[in-house]
Amino acid sequence: MTLLKNWKYHVFTITYLLSTIFFFLTFKKLIYTELYSKKHLSLYIFEVEGNYTKVFFRNEKAILNRSLNLIERKLPQEKYFRANRNTIFNINYIESIENWFSGNLMIKLPHDNQVEISRRQAVLFKEIYGI
């Protein structure tokens, strides 16, 4: 009996769940294809925005409901670098590197994106890439 009284609520819940699943699967397929393809070249920056991670690739953006730590574990370490607690970038897309304040580095990427590498990560970046 209560199921019939709350039918609008149940229809809304089911509709919401289906749209969420469709959204998630669409982007998951897109990102999964990019992450697990052998090229890995079209994904060039992962950036935290609130509880989500913004992904930049080609000329597009996507938003994932995944933590940066989880994404970092799936990325090949030789192509991606964790610049700070909010950003991972593809080293193949570096356009320029500048010394920045307090020992940090500033990396310029396509489409006017800039990434500041933290002091601690800048030391590691310099060691790995011989800068």
Side-chain angles (χ1 to χ4, degrees):
M1 222 31 170
T2 57
L3 182 63
L4 294 176
K5 286 183 181 178
N6 297 328
W7 71 271
K8 288 182 181 178
Y9 171 77
H10 294 295
V11 169
F12 173 77
T13 304
I14 291 169
T15 306
Y16 175 76
L17 287 173
L18 289 175
S19 66
T20 304
I21 290 168
F22 177 74
F23 175 80
F24 177 72
L25 290 177
T26 303
F27 279 113
K28 183 176 181 180
K29 180 181 176 189
L30 180 66
I31 299 304
Y32 182 85
T33 303
E34 293 295 329
L35 285 177
Y36 295 102
S37 71
K38 294 184 180 181
K39 294 179 183 174
H40 278 277
L41 294 176
S42 61
L43 293 168
Y44 68 91
I45 189 168
F46 296 85
E47 194 173 76
V48 171
E49 186 173 290
N51 294 329
Y52 300 95
T53 301
K54 206 186 301 185
V55 182
F56 296 85
F57 55 100
R58 295 186 207 115
N59 294 325
E60 302 172 35
K61 296 179 204 175
I63 296 178
L64 295 176
N65 188 9
R66 293 284 180 259
S67 72
L68 207 54
N69 290 333
L70 182 65
I71 292 170
E72 183 179 22
R73 283 186 242 139
K74 295 180 186 272
L75 294 170
Q77 298 296 316
E78 65 276 0
K79 294 183 181 179
Y80 291 90
F81 186 78
R82 180 83 180 247
N84 52 51
R85 64 188 184 126
N86 295 326
T87 311
I88 297 173
F89 67 93
N90 187 329
I91 61 166
N92 295 319
Y93 279 92
I94 295 174
E95 292 179 349
S96 68
I97 302 171
E98 297 177 24
N99 287 321
W100 209 242
F101 304 102
S102 304
N104 295 1
L105 293 174
M106 181 61 74
I107 305 293
K108 294 193 183 199
L109 298 169
H111 307 291
D112 296 326
N113 285 307
Q114 295 183 343
V115 175
E116 186 174 348
I117 299 181
S118 68
R119 216 174 341 179
R120 182 179 293 155
Q121 291 299 91
V123 171
L124 180 62
F125 186 82
K126 289 174 183 178
E127 284 178 17
I128 292 172
Y129 300 107
I131 297 172

